[in-house]
């Protein structure tokens, strides 16, 4: 009886495992990413990597929705500072940030420690942040652009 049951269920198990279309849907910072939807553009690939970095290094202060903590950690969502101060934004992620900055009319005077990210990781997380929560940019940030930003 056990052999008969095994012989009847084995083809079903194998058929279930033999799905040629692989779907791997995950969410990173509220953005749905699916490996089967289409081939990614360089920006999409950078944003996917950047979303993982954001989750690991940035989300604790700037939160999953990018709104930050009023009075303590500036928002990234809808941030005029990111939009208007591209090089300064890259510098802050690459080397850390201390001292006063004004974001959307609110003054922040905190410290963001350097996270030790590579130039590629900085570019990826910047592309994620600058294209999430209503933010858009005309030109993606490249590893080469980040490398040119000096301390």
């Amino acid at each position: 009886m056990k052999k008969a049951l095994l012989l009847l269920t084995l083809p079903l198990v194998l058929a279930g495992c033999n799905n040629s279309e692989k779907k791997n849907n995950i969410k990173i910072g509220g953005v749905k990413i699916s490996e089967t939807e289409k081939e990614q553009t360089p920006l999409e690939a950078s944003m996917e990597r950047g979303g993982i970095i954001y989750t690991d290094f940035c989300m604790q202060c700037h939160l999953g929705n990018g709104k930050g903590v009023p009075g303590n950690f500036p928002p990234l969502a809808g941030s005029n500072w990111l939009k208007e101060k591209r090089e300064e934004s890259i510098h802050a992620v690459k080397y850390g940030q201390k001292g006063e900055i004004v974001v959307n009319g609110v003054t922040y005077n905190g410290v963001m420690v350097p996270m030790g990210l590579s130039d590629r990781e900085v570019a990826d997380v910047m592309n994620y942040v600058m294209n999430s929560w209503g933010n858009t940019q005309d030109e993606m940030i490249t590893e080469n652009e980040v490398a040119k930003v000096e301390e």
Side-chain angles (χ1 to χ4, degrees), residues 1 3-4 6 10 12 22 44 54 61 66 70 107 112 127 140 151:
M1 182 69 170
K3 284 185 182 181
L6 179 62
L10 187 58
L12 294 174
K22 181 181 177 186
E44 290 168 335
Y54 183 85
C61 298
T107 301
M112 182 173 87
N127 284 320
M140 76 179 272
E151 198 168 5

Side-chain angles (χ1 to χ4, degrees), residues 30-79:
V31 177
K32 181 183 170 194
I33 298 166
S34 175
E35 292 178 4
T36 60
E37 288 179 4
K38 62 178 181 155
E39 192 173 313
Q40 292 181 319
T41 66
L43 176 60
E44 290 168 335
S46 177
M47 288 177 59
E48 183 174 332
R49 293 187 304 267
I52 295 167
I53 295 164
Y54 183 85
T55 299
D56 288 346
F57 291 91
C58 314
M59 191 165 65
Q60 297 83 341
C61 298
H62 297 286
L63 307 181
N65 60 10
K67 291 185 179 179
V69 178
N72 291 309
F73 304 109
L76 303 175
S79 169

Side-chain angles (χ1 to χ4, degrees), residues 81-100:
W81 201 77
L82 283 174
K83 199 176 217 181
E84 297 165 9
K85 298 182 179 280
R86 183 176 173 107
E87 187 171 333
E88 290 92 332
S89 297
I90 294 168
H91 188 277
V93 173
K94 187 172 180 177
Y95 298 111
Q97 169 68 39
K98 61 183 171 183
E100 284 189 1

